Amino acid sequence: MAAPILPPPLPDPQFVLRGTQSAVHSLHFCRGAQGQGHPLLLSGSLSGLVHIWSLQTRRALTTLDGHRGQCVTWLQTLPHGHQLLSQGRDLRLCLWDLAEGRNAVVDSVRLESMGFCRSTVLAGAQPRWMLAMPGRGNDEVEILEMPSKTSVCTLKPEADAKLGMPMCLKLWQADSSPRPRLLAGYEDGSVVLWDVSEGKVCSRVTCHTEPVMGLDFDSQKARGVSGSAEKALAVWSLDEQQSLKACGTHEVTNPGIADVTIRPDRKLLATAGWDHRVRIFHWRTMKPLAVLDFHTATVYCVAFADDGLLASGSGDQRISVWSLYQRT
Amino acid sequence: MDPAPSVVRLAVCDAIHTLASSEDGGCIFSVLGSLKHYLGEAEALPREREEFARFHFSPLLRCLVSKLSPDWLELLPAGQLEELWASFFLEGPADQAFLVLMEAIEGTAGPSYRLMKLAQLLERFLHAGRVAVLLGEQCQQQAQPGTPLLQEMLLGKVVCLPDYLSNRLQHENLALFLPQRYFPLLAEELVRALRIVADTLRGGGVSFTSSLLAPSVPGGVNCSVTFVSQVLGKVCIHGRQKELLGVLVPRLAGLMQDDRLWQQVCWRLVECVPDRAVEAMLMGLVEAAPGPEVLSQLLGNLVMKNKKAQFVMTRKLLFLQHRCTMPMLQSLLGYLAADSQRRPLLVQVLKELLEMWGSSSVVRHAPVPQQHHIGKAILMCLVYLGEAELQDIREELLASMMAGVQSHLDSSLPPVRRLGMVVAEVLSARLHPEGPPLKFQYEKDELTCEMLALVAPRPADGGPSTLGLSAASVATETPADGSWDVSTAPVQPEGADPELDSDDEFVPYDMSGDKELRSSKAPAYIRDCLEALMTSEDRERWEAALRVLEGLVYRSPVATREVSVELAQVLLHLEEKSFVAGFEALCRGALVAVTVTDPARVAEYLTTQFYALNYSLRQRIDILDVLTLAAQELSRPGCHSTALQWSPPSLGVQGESALAASQLSGVVPTDWKAVVELRIRSKTRRFSKASSRLDPACGPNKFNAVAGCFFFPLIQRFDRPMATFDLLGDDHLVLGRLTHTLGALMYLAVNTTVAVSMGKALLEFVWALRFHADAYVRQGLLSAVTAILLSVPAERLLGELSEEVLEARAWLADMAEEDPDGECRALAVRALLLAEKLRDRLLPHPSP
C-alpha cells in the first residue's frame, strides 16, 4: 500500500532544451526520419522559427524560418511522407517537405483570421486529408480538402448563437462512422460539435465562463476535456445521440490553462498553465497526479510523444521534457 | 349512652388487661382474635364497628406496640402472634394505624429489635397500599368539619416520613424509606387515592363540580381532593418535585387522555394546592411535563383563576430567574399559547420580555445567561404568536427592538452582541415579512445555532423520531458528495474499458507546492519595502512588500532602526485597498517586528498615537495589541533565537554580533571547549546514550529596559477626554482593551526593576475604575490585579504597597460575591486565592 507513505517528491525534468531564443508557443513530437528509434521534437517559437530537436543528442537539428518573424502557433506532421504543417501569425499555413533532409516550403494556405485559433487536420492513410482552420468571418471555421485546397464548407454558427471567435479546434472521425466531426471551443466558453459534411451544429455545451483556450477529445471513451482562462477544467462526454453533456469540472489552483493534451494511450492528461505549471491528471478519474513547477513563465503548450514522453514549452524560452508514469 | 357501647368497651378493657398481665400465649391469642372481628365487615354490627374504630382502636394499638418484644412474640410458635399483631395495623383504620406507628417509631431511641420490627411493619403498611386508603379516607372526611389538627399531623408525617425514618434508623435504614424510593411510591398512592375519589364520584352519580362547589349537597357523596393537594404541595415545598412528579405527571397524563372526569379531578387537584406551595408545584410541573400539551391538560386555566399562579408563570419563571431549560421554556410558553383565554397573557409576556431585552440597563447589568434566557423566550413567543397578534402590537415591539439593538451592539461582550443580532434578525423578519430582511454578520456559535433552530420551521408532528428518519433517508439518497469518481464512473463502465488500469499504477507526486501564484517581485531591502508600501500604485508589489516585511525587519535590525518610526507610522495607517488574505495578521506581525527591533522609540511613538486625535477605534486597539505582543516577544527568554529562525544564517543578528565579538576580543572563548568536546567524543565509544536535553534558552530580559516606555505613557492619560476619544465615556470597549493590555504588560514585567512602580500605578488605576459598569472593563481590572500579584515581588508588595493591596483585597472579596458577571466572579476568586497564597508564604517568615 502506497497510501500511508508520504507522496514521492516531485521529479526533475528528464532534460531541458534551450536555444530557441524566444518563447515557445507550439510543440509537436514526430517519428524520426530514416526510421530511427528516437523521435524528433518540433518546436515553434515567438520569433517565427521552427526548431527540430533530436531527442537523442538533445540538440537542434534544423531550424526552419518560414513565417517572417511572426509567432508559430501550431505544428503538425502528416502521417504519410515527411510533411510538416506550421501555422504562423503572419497569416500563413505552410506545408514543409522534410524528407531526406530537405526543408523547403512546398505549399502554403492563406489564413483570413487574425485570431489565436490553432488549426487541426484529419489525415488517414489516403493522400487526401482534411484541414480545419479559422475562417474569414469572425466566428467562422473553414474546412479545406488538402492538398487540393478546395473548400469543403464554411461552418458558420447561427446569427443569434453569439459564440464569438473559435479559439481551438479538433477534427476527428469515429471508427464507426465515416462522417468527420469537428469540436470547436469558442470565445464565450462553449464547446460545439459540428457535423462537417452537413455543415451544421450537432450539439453545444457551455462549460466555461471564459474563452475556451484548449481542448482535447478521447474518441474511444467519447469524452473530452477543455481548459479556459478561468480556474476550472471541464470534462464533457458525447453520447450516442451525438449530444454533448458536461460531466463535471475540476478546480485548479491558479486561473488560465493554455493547452490541454491527452496522452496517446489515454491514461494521462496534461495541462499547460498560465501559472508556469504543468499539471498531470489521471484521465479516467481526473485525479491530480503531479504539478510540474519548473518553468518561470507562462507555459504555452504541452505535447506527448507516442512513447509517453511529455514536453512543455514556455515563455521562459525553455522546453522541458519529462518522463512520468512511463508505460512498462 | 346506651348499653351497647359498653360491650365493646368491656371487651377492649378486658383485652388490654389481659395483654398487660398475661404471659399465656393462647389466652392472648384468643382475646385478640375476638377483638379482631370488630375490624371485619361481616361479623360485627356497623355501630359497634364504628365505635371500636373511633374510640378504642388507637389505645389498643398503643398497647400492642408497648408489648412488642422478642419474648412476647415467641409466646406462640411459628409467628402466629406476630401475624395477628400486625394484622391490626394493616387492616384497621389506616390513619390511626399510621399515626400510632409513626409515634412509636419516633418514641424509640436508637436502633433496636423493637425499632426494626416497627420499621418492617411500616414497610408492609406502605407496600400494602394503605397510604392510598389513608388518603382516600381523608378525602372523604374532608367535608366533615373538626379534623384539621389530625389532618395537619397526618400531612406532616406522610410527607416527612423519609426524614423521620432516617433520623431513627440511621445506617439501618430500609431502602424503601429513602426519598428516591418513597416519593415515587407516594405518587402511585396519590394516583390511587384520586382514583378512589373519582370512582366515588362516578358511583355517586353526582357531578363533580357541584359536589366541590357545594360540599354539603344533601344526599350527595361528599368528596374533596384538598388533602391530596396539600400532600402534593408540601412535597413540592420540600423540594422533592422531581421524584414525585416524575411518576405522577405521566400517570395523570395517561388517565386524563380521554376522560373528562379525570381532567376535572386533576384541575381541582392543582387548584387546591395551598398558595405558598403553588410556586414549588408549578416549577416542578413545568419541569416534569414533557410538552406544552401535557402541561395545559394538567393545569387547565389555572393561571386565569389563581393570581399567584399567574405571577409565577408569567413573571417569576421568565423574568426573575433563568434556570428554565429550553424544554421548560417551551412547555411554559406553549401552555400560555394553547388556549385563547391565555393568549393575551402571552402577548403581554412578549411585550414585557422585549422591554426588558431592550433596556440598556439590563444589557449592562444582567448576567449573560439571563440575557440568553430572555432572548430564547422572545424567540419562542414569536414562534407561538400569529401574524395578526403581532401586527396589533407592532409599533411597541419595533420601538423596543430599536432600543435593544442599539444597546446590545454597544456592549463589549461578544455573546451579548451576537444575542442582539440574532433576536433582532428574527424579530424584524416576523414584523416585516414582506420587507427586506435585517441581516447581521456574526460568527455562528453553539448558542446562536441553538437559538436559530428554535425559529426554524418544524414538521407538524415534530417528533424527533420522524426528524431522524427523514434525515437518514436524505443521507441515503445522496450517498456521497459528487466526487469525480462517482459522477464519471457510470458513464464509463468498467468492462468496456480495454485497459483496466488500476490507480495503483499512478501514485500522485507531492503537490504541496501548488500554491497561488504571485508574480510580482518582492522588495529585498527595508527602504524599498517602505517605499513600496507608501507609494506603490502596483497592488501586487504592495502586497508582496507587506508579506516580506516582517522577515526583513528581523533579518536587518540595523537598517530597521534607521527608519523604525517611519515604518511604524506607515504600518499603522496602512489601509486594505484591495483584498489581501490575512492582511491584519501581516500588518500586525510587521508592526510587532518593528517594535521588537527598536522598542524604545517605536513604543514612544505608538503610545503617543494611542492618545492622539483622529484615530479610529480599530487603530487604537491595534496599537494596544501590538504593544502587548511586542512586550511578550521581548520578555521571552532567547527571543533572538526565535527571530533568527526567520532569517538565513548568513544575515543573522547573532551571527553578525558573534563574529564582531570574536574579532574584537581576538580570542575565541567558546571554541576550545567545543574542540575538546569533539576530540573526546571521537575517541570515546558509547554503548548507550541518555537523550540529550536541550538547555532552556536563557538571556537577559530585553523587556526590562523598556517596560516603562510601554507602560507609563499608556496609563497616564486615560482620564483626559478628547473631542473624538473619550475612554471613560462611550469608548469603553477601548478602555477594556487598555485594562487588559496594562495587565498583560504588568505580567510580562515580572522580574524587572520597574515592576514595583508599575504595580503601584496600576493599583491606583484599578482603584479609580473599580466600579465601572462594563463587565469587560472589570474583567480587565481583575486580570490586572492578578498580574500585579504575580509580578511584583511579594515582600515589596506587602511592604511598600500594603495599603493599596488591602484595599484591593476588600474590593476583590466584594466582587467575588456580588458581581453580576460570572467571569468577573471567577476572576475575582482566583485573584483572592492568589493573594491568600502570597500572604501564607510570607507569614511563616515575618520580616525582621
Side-chain angles (χ1 to χ4, degrees), chain A residues 7-9 11 221 231 235 248-250 253-254 265-268 275 277 279 282 284-286 288-291 325, chain B residues 484-485 487-488 491-492 494 497-511 513-517 519:
Chain A
K221 288 177 181 157
K231 280 186 177 182
V235 174
T249 57
H250 188 88
T253 314
N254 291 303
D265 65 356
R266 296 183 308 281
K267 286 190 176 176
L268 292 185
D275 61 350
R277 290 168 202 167
R279 288 160 202 280
H282 187 242
R284 185 165 58 81
T285 62
M286 283 307 285
L289 293 177
V291 178
Y325 306 108
Chain B
W484 203 287
D485 270 310
S487 59
T488 54
V491 178
Q492 195 53 242
E494 210 55 39
D497 198 344
E499 303 114 73
L500 277 179
D501 45 10
S502 65
D503 284 354
D504 294 354
E505 204 180 325
F506 298 101
V507 179
Y509 287 102
D510 178 18
M511 283 178 285
D514 189 17
K515 301 270 168 53
E516 297 247 341
L517 188 71
S519 54

Side-chain angles (χ1 to χ4, degrees), chain B residues 529-549:
Chain B
C529 231
L530 185 61
E531 194 183 345
L533 287 177
M534 278 198 299
T535 59
S536 183
E537 292 304 310
D538 178 1
R539 299 311 293 175
E540 287 193 346
R541 186 171 158 77
W542 183 85
E543 188 183 333
L546 187 58
R547 283 187 193 281
V548 295
L549 183 55

